[in-house]
Amino acid sequence: DNEQTHSPNDVSIVPNRVYTLRFEIDPKTAVFIIYLDNSVIDTYEPPNPDQWLQGPISYNVHLGTEPNSSGKSYVDDVKFGQLK
């Protein structure tokens, strides 16, 4: 299995607010840049970009709460495409 993984930085958010999460992947270098509301929250330069660029890429969004609390989170309006 040639699955490649990266765990991004933890980011604190305010409950009951809508955020825009954007991922950019350079098609030549496989460098990832991840934005939250147009601010860079993480970058990743894979040590083996050829493997990243030749296979499927998936990204998991993990949403959590503080201990002894609860909440709901939604991720919707997902779009894939080339930036212009």
Side-chain angles (χ1 to χ4, degrees):
D1 186 4
N2 289 332
E3 181 177 346
Q4 306 297 312
T5 61
H6 168 64
S7 297
N9 300 323
D10 288 340
V11 176
S12 297
I13 59 170
V14 176
N16 301 314
R17 181 172 165 204
V18 175
Y19 293 92
T20 300
L21 190 61
R22 185 175 86 229
F23 306 90
E24 293 181 0
I25 303 170
D26 186 298
K28 293 182 178 144
T29 64
V31 170
F32 284 64
I33 304 173
I34 304 169
Y35 299 84
L36 182 68
D37 286 346
N38 294 318
S39 294
V40 175
I41 60 169
D42 195 21
T43 59
Y44 177 64
E45 185 174 340
N48 48 358
D50 290 337
Q51 288 181 357
W52 282 84
L53 295 171
Q54 291 181 12
I57 295 174
S58 65
Y59 192 89
N60 297 322
V61 177
H62 298 271
L63 304 167
T65 61
E66 294 296 322
N68 300 317
S69 65
S70 64
K72 287 184 180 181
S73 300
Y74 302 95
V75 176
D76 64 3
D77 199 21
V78 176
K79 298 177 184 177
F80 292 91
Q82 186 174 11
L83 295 175
K84 296 179 182 184

